Amino acid sequence: MKPQETDVLLSGWVEPLPIRRANVISAIHELVTKSLVIAELEVRKLRHDPTDLIIRAVQPVLWLLIFGQVFSRTKAIPTGNLPYLDFMTAGILAQSVLFVAIFTGGMTLIWERDLGIVHKFLASPTPRVAMALGKAIACGVRCLSQVVFIYGLALLLGVKLNLHPLAILKVLLIVMLGAGCFCIFSLIIGCLVKSRERMTGIGQLLTMPLFFASNAIYPISLMPNWLKFISRLNPLTYEVDALRGTMLLNGTSLHGFGLDCTILLVTLIGLTIICGKLYPRVAM
């Protein structure tokens, strides 16, 4: 083989690499851009109905004012050196995020399908994963209002919160990740069911087991072995653990903030891929 031919072959092997790298960067840029566009569209809906944020704050307020106050006095649940109301505050924030995400994702998707909006999105070149991820980002933004409500109420009740800016940023990150996980989980259910009534029933069926099979209102050490196993598979457990270690002044994390974030992020990525595959079923 002549040296000239060898140069041609070598150049043929080397040249596609930058093109392939450029294609990957372009795909990631398109995914991020389209996801943010979808998220912006979803967030704009709050301008038309901001009262939804206040209504969503009623349930966690009742939990902290009634359930938290009663169990703080009875001291029936051992929480170590941490007062029960402090222990419970992180769990109620996670519960609030769970409820908002579950009843926002799938219900919104079915409502948009009935209006024909989903069909228009599916006819566009927007990646299906971006459609799901955009809704998850918007749900996370929606849940940030719950952080404000619960922080304000917790301060009034005397909960010792960690108000360091870095700790607050960590709380916001965990809330965004947790909201994204459960919103996309709700979207997956919305892709499989076909009516709002069925979506409401399944949402109510799932939220309470997810809540009680976590460490939101009692330590995992009090659970029977079978429930401990389920709690380790529950993403809400890791969300609560991260929140308890960051938002409370004397709070501790069993798994560590890094591991909790990693588990939530991996769960979010896996659910997003599944939802992207199922998304076209909505229009069927």
Side-chain angles (χ1 to χ4, degrees):
M1 184 180 293
K2 297 180 182 179
Q4 212 170 12
E5 294 177 356
T6 306
D7 291 341
V8 171
L9 288 175
L10 288 176
S11 63
W13 282 95
V14 173
E15 284 175 3
L17 291 177
I19 298 174
R20 189 178 303 167
R21 190 177 301 132
N23 290 336
V24 172
I25 294 174
S26 176
I28 295 174
H29 179 266
E30 182 185 12
L31 176 63
V32 172
T33 304
K34 297 293 178 63
S35 298
L36 292 177
V37 170
I38 299 293
E40 182 187 5
L41 292 173
E42 292 294 322
V43 171
R44 283 184 184 180
K45 295 177 183 178
L46 293 176
R47 297 168 61 182
H48 302 286
D49 188 17
T51 57
D52 182 61
L53 300 179
I54 300 174
I55 295 172
R56 295 292 183 184
V58 172
Q59 187 172 10
V61 167
L62 292 176
W63 273 89
L64 286 175
L65 287 177
I66 299 176
F67 192 90
Q69 292 289 318
V70 170
F71 273 78
S72 295
R73 297 193 177 195
T74 59
K75 297 181 179 179
I77 300 177
T79 55
N81 297 326
L82 199 65
Y84 182 72
L85 191 60
D86 295 27
F87 178 88
M88 184 184 180
T89 300
I92 296 305
L93 175 56
Q95 180 223 40
S96 178
V97 171
L98 169 68
F99 277 59
V100 171
I102 289 291
F103 288 104
T104 297
M107 288 296 294
T108 303
L109 183 63
I110 294 175
W111 177 73
E112 290 179 349
R113 183 207 62 191
D114 294 341
L115 293 177
I117 298 175
V118 173
H119 299 76
K120 294 179 181 179
F121 276 118
L122 291 174
S124 70
T126 305
R128 308 303 185 245
V129 172
M131 296 179 188
L133 193 58
K135 288 184 177 293
I137 295 172
C139 182
V141 174
R142 181 187 292 263
C143 289
L144 295 182
S145 64
Q146 304 301 309
V147 179
V148 177
F149 283 122
I150 292 177
Y151 261 72
L153 180 60
L155 288 172
L156 291 175
L157 294 175
V159 176
K160 297 177 182 178
L161 297 176
N162 185 359
L163 299 178
H164 192 280
L166 182 59
I168 294 177
L169 287 176
K170 288 181 177 181
V171 169
L172 297 181
L173 174 62
I174 289 296
V175 167
M176 292 289 292
L177 287 174
C181 287
F182 293 112
C183 177
I184 293 184
F185 180 59
S186 178
L187 288 174
I188 291 174
I189 299 173
C191 292
L192 298 175
V193 303
K194 300 299 181 182
S195 66
R196 300 181 205 179
E197 293 78 11
R198 189 171 298 176
M199 180 66 215
T200 303
I202 294 176
Q204 292 175 345
L205 180 66
L206 292 176
T207 48
M208 298 313 291
L210 285 170
F211 175 56
F212 286 110
S214 71
N215 54 349
I217 55 176
Y218 38 71
I220 295 179
S221 58
L222 299 180
M223 299 179 182
N225 291 330
W226 64 269
L227 190 55
K228 288 181 182 179
F229 176 76
I230 295 175
S231 69
R232 293 190 183 98
L233 302 177
N234 187 357
L236 189 66
T237 299
Y238 302 97
E239 182 183 354
V240 173
D241 185 64
L243 289 175
R244 192 165 286 143
T246 53
M247 72 181 294
L248 300 178
L249 195 59
N250 299 319
T252 57
S253 173
L254 296 177
H255 307 290
F257 182 80
L259 180 59
D260 290 330
C261 281
T262 302
I263 291 174
L264 289 174
L265 182 60
V266 171
T267 303
L268 177 61
I269 293 172
L271 291 175
T272 303
I273 294 172
I274 295 172
C275 188
K277 298 290 185 181
L278 294 176
Y279 212 90
R281 290 175 58 97
V282 184
M284 294 180 180

